Amino acid sequence: MRNTFGNVFTLTTFGESHGTAVGGVVDGMPAGIEVDLDFIQQELNRRRPGQSRITTARKEADQVELLSGVFEGRTTGAPIGFVVHNQNQHSQDYEDLRTLFRPSHADYTYYNKYGVRDHRGGGRTSARITISRCVGGALAKLVLRQLNISIRAYTSQVGPIELERDYRKYDIDLAEQNAVRCPDAEKALQMEELIAQVKAEGDTIGGVITCVVKGCPTGLGEPEFDKLHAQLAAAMLSINACKGFEYGEGFAGTVFRGSEQNDVFVGSTDSSQLQTKTNHSGGIQGGLSNGQDIYFRVAFKPVATLLREQHTVDIDGHPTTFAAHGRHDPCVLPRAVPVVEAMAAMVLLDDILLNRTIKL
């Protein structure tokens, strides 16, 4: 089982949803970086459950404890170990699922591969494991902000309710002012009402998160197998419930002609700092960042756990029915926003450390 992400800046995670704790080890963190523990905790607070009426009612402090790699408030270059203790598990809610395979979950595939599974909340396959990603992403952000690189994500679609694709039409900072994390207050209210309605029906709904990276230097990524957009895609598709990734114009750009899509360069006396009139490429050309804003969209499916009766089979293949119990998100989008940012931050920092021409 591979539990490590990255090449130079790496994150190794551990833990299960209903185990003692989740946590990880970050290696490759540059030395001398001031550690803002309040900022790291804030990133975890954005992800934690129980934030509003449209998220799971599970109450967790998600308090992070740094175990190593920090001395007198700064990183030492040594591995940074951290842990977040689980405090509010209701494992009994999952007891009737011990011998069942839930539809569209990892129950069957995990059991088939390993011959054993933790049925309590999905165990290792639970979205609670993304806690570790948020800590790793927060540490990466501490480095990136010294390079004036910002990463902001927001909910751009829930079900049929969607914003315009052009992120420049919105003040992304406004996304944190509502429970859905959408920068359009009117659409945010519509999204929240839809999620509340779906939740009341015991159902779930999916949507799209848009992410924008500003200040990224030119030349990150590789021109062949480790293209920057491929790295970002792999990172996003590793997030629970993620079903799709597109950058730049993406699928929408397929209906246009090349004369409409090409990003024309604007003259400059410094050929290393060229600009483009448009940015249909999404800040990446030939697998390398070109210095323009990087923007991409990530699609998330409806949460697979429904609080209504479903048909399934048990581990012996016998047909049966069940209704899930417990506390579950009707829509993953609001809590997935910081996870998208975290994965993007780790990808970019890893590439910066691989690119020796960029100095911290």
Side-chain angles (χ1 to χ4, degrees), residues 31-227:
I33 303 298
E34 184 177 351
V35 176
D36 185 343
L37 191 57
D38 289 338
F39 172 75
I40 297 173
Q41 186 60 52
Q42 176 187 328
E43 293 296 276
L44 281 182
N45 293 347
R46 296 172 67 208
R47 193 224 69 93
R48 72 182 176 190
Q51 296 182 46
S52 70
R53 64 172 181 149
I54 58 172
T55 61
T56 172
R58 178 172 175 167
K59 296 292 185 181
E60 290 278 6
D62 285 354
Q63 191 73 37
V64 64
E65 179 184 359
L66 300 185
L67 305 175
S68 62
V70 179
F71 178 68
E72 295 183 342
R74 292 186 180 274
T75 58
T76 64
I80 300 176
F82 63 89
V83 67
V84 174
H85 291 279
N86 295 327
Q87 299 177 332
N88 192 228
Q89 310 100 309
H90 287 182
S91 299
Q92 67 276 9
D93 289 341
Y94 298 88
E95 190 57 34
D96 60 344
L97 303 179
R98 180 183 290 272
T99 60
L100 301 181
F101 295 134
R102 297 169 296 171
S104 291
H105 284 76
D107 295 351
Y108 169 71
T109 50
Y110 195 102
Y111 182 77
N112 186 273
K113 181 176 178 68
Y114 296 105
V116 63
R117 71 180 176 94
D118 184 347
H119 65 281
R120 304 166 303 166
R124 184 64 178 158
T125 66
S126 169
R128 184 155 178 77
I129 309 305
T130 59
I131 283 175
S132 300
R133 300 177 183 220
C134 286
V135 176
L139 289 167
K141 282 184 175 182
L142 291 177
V143 182
L144 294 178
R145 71 184 183 185
Q146 291 194 10
L147 301 172
N148 295 317
I149 299 172
S150 68
I151 302 172
R152 298 301 306 274
Y154 61 93
T155 299
S156 54
Q157 181 176 346
V158 172
I161 305 170
E162 60 182 319
L163 305 187
E164 294 186 44
R165 291 177 62 93
D166 188 349
Y167 66 90
R168 295 170 300 178
K169 295 181 180 295
Y170 302 98
D171 180 354
I172 302 178
D173 290 337
L174 297 178
E176 293 298 316
Q177 296 186 8
N178 56 73
V180 189
R181 293 201 161 88
C182 171
D184 183 308
E186 183 177 344
K187 287 291 181 68
L189 182 59
Q190 296 175 23
M191 291 174 178
E192 184 172 347
E193 291 302 322
L194 175 58
I195 295 172
Q197 175 189 337
V198 166
K199 180 180 180 180
E201 297 170 354
D203 214 335
T204 62
I205 197 164
V208 175
I209 290 174
T210 296
C211 187
V212 181
V213 180
K214 291 182 175 292
C216 185
T218 304
L220 297 188
E222 298 291 336
E224 183 56 21
F225 295 113
D226 282 332
K227 291 179 169 64

Side-chain angles (χ1 to χ4, degrees), residues 249 252-264 277-281:
E249 294 294 343
T254 60
V255 301
F256 297 105
R257 300 187 180 188
S259 57
E260 298 172 293
Q261 283 282 290
N262 282 353
D263 296 318
V264 177
K277 287 185 177 180
T278 56
N279 188 19
H280 301 299
S281 300

Side-chain angles (χ1 to χ4, degrees), residues 5 133 211 230-245 296-300 339-345 347:
F5 176 83
R133 300 177 183 220
C211 187
Q231 294 179 47
L232 287 169
M236 298 308 144
L237 290 168
S238 74
I239 302 173
N240 306 60
C242 179
K243 284 295 186 179
F245 172 90
F296 56 87
R297 290 158 52 87
V298 188
F300 288 86
V339 183
V340 167
E341 292 180 2
M343 295 307 296
V347 167

Side-chain angles (χ1 to χ4, degrees), residues 281-338:
S281 300
I284 303 172
Q285 293 173 328
L288 307 172
S289 59
N290 67 1
Q292 307 304 302
D293 290 352
I294 296 172
Y295 63 96
F296 56 87
R297 290 158 52 87
V298 188
F300 288 86
K301 71 174 184 177
V303 178
T305 300
L306 310 183
L307 299 182
R308 56 166 64 179
E309 188 172 86
Q310 297 183 78
H311 292 276
T312 190
V313 298
D314 61 23
I315 59 175
D316 297 315
H318 299 141
T320 186
T321 60
F322 81 104
H325 304 288
R327 302 155 298 174
H328 305 281
D329 285 298
C331 179
V332 72
L333 276 290
R335 296 176 60 212
V337 165

